[in-house]
Amino acid sequence: MNGDASLQARARIHAALGDPARLAIVDALTLGDASPGEIGHDLTMPTNLVAHHLKVLQDAGLIVRTRSEGDRRRTYLRLQPGVLASLTPPPLQDAERVVFVCTHNSARSQLAAALWRDRVGGPVASAGTKPAARVHPRAVKVAHRHGLALDPAGTAHVSDVVHQGDLVIAVCDNAHEDLTGEVRPQLHWSVPDPIRVNTDAAFEAAYTDLAQRIDRLAPAVPHTAEQN
């Protein structure tokens, strides 16, 4: 029920922001407060239209009105940033550790674990369903280029790494599809295998993809959000 209520509330906020004029009002209030008259003047919007849009935004909880401490007849509009923050997905269940998994544990999962360790912190590991003997040299190279360290011999099998309580993230399609037993990924990132192309550009693209996904995920992982 709480999840349904959260979805309904987020839907109302998205609906309120779905009109260009209302989005312009939110943009105008992002950096400072304004009166309805100032909003209408700045956005060249008639008074009746301003009133309509402000009611929609207020009903969605995006803005509040406060009375001026100077001219008590005047009201000011204030944006509620916390409501905008609620548009992010609800947090995941707490996890003791994050484990990134791919097939060979030689590139994507290694880079993901190194990125998480550097950008987020907290317990993290990587593993493979069919681990290679060594980390791919281009993965080591791209990691070093971004100031991250990878152990060239540090590959491991899923069964030796994953424990109950881990948040398992498959960063390749094969691992996501192969792990159907007790160890099942809670999340799947379909990151193209850079080894198939085997160029510096392909490894750089995988690094960038993983970095962006980690930045989006980190706030939704409870223990890492608390650390930050």
Side-chain angles (χ1 to χ4, degrees):
M1 292 295 291
N2 288 339
D4 290 343
S6 173
L7 283 174
Q8 291 292 335
R10 287 163 60 200
R12 282 196 299 273
I13 297 167
H14 279 290
L17 295 172
D19 184 282
R22 291 196 286 272
L23 188 56
I25 293 172
V26 169
D27 286 344
L29 295 174
T30 298
L31 300 180
D33 304 340
S35 69
E38 290 168 336
I39 288 290
H41 177 269
D42 292 344
L43 300 179
T44 62
M45 194 181 298
T47 303
N48 62 331
L49 200 54
V50 170
H52 165 71
H53 289 312
L54 291 181
K55 183 179 186 307
V56 174
L57 292 171
Q58 191 168 0
D59 288 346
L62 282 160
I63 62 172
V64 294
R65 296 173 184 262
T66 59
R67 185 71 63 180
S68 168
E69 293 182 352
D71 182 350
R72 298 291 296 175
R73 295 169 298 178
R74 178 176 296 191
T75 61
Y76 288 110
L77 307 165
R78 177 183 299 173
L79 186 67
Q80 297 287 80
V83 177
L84 289 174
S86 72
L87 293 177
T88 58
L92 299 169
Q93 291 185 347
D94 199 5
E96 297 175 6
R97 183 178 60 161
V98 177
V99 180
F100 294 98
V101 177
C102 65
T103 304
H104 300 300
N105 191 213
S106 62
R108 289 164 290 182
S109 57
Q110 293 280 353
L111 289 170
L115 273 160
W116 187 274
R117 189 176 296 110
D118 179 68
R119 296 193 174 196
V120 183
V124 63
S126 69
T129 55
K130 300 174 184 177
R134 297 180 66 81
V135 178
H136 196 283
R138 289 189 190 275
V140 176
K141 182 179 178 181
V142 74
H144 287 177
R145 187 159 60 242
H146 290 278
L148 305 178
L150 293 185
D151 177 5
T155 61
H157 193 275
V158 169
S159 61
D160 297 324
V161 174
V162 176
H163 306 300
Q164 187 173 4
D166 289 338
L167 170 61
V168 180
I169 303 173
V171 293
C172 82
D173 298 339
N174 286 331
H176 174 66
E177 294 162 10
D178 290 344
L179 291 172
T180 58
E182 292 184 4
V183 177
R184 291 184 61 86
Q186 288 95 320
L187 296 175
H188 170 216
W189 296 350
S190 186
V191 180
D193 185 1
I195 296 176
R196 290 179 181 272
V197 182
N198 201 17
T199 63
D200 286 349
F203 279 81
E204 186 68 35
Y207 171 92
T208 300
D209 189 352
L210 291 164
Q212 292 172 346
R213 290 174 182 269
I214 284 171
D215 287 345
R216 293 197 299 271
L217 172 66
V221 179
H223 78 276
T224 57
E226 292 170 4
Q227 291 174 359
N228 293 338

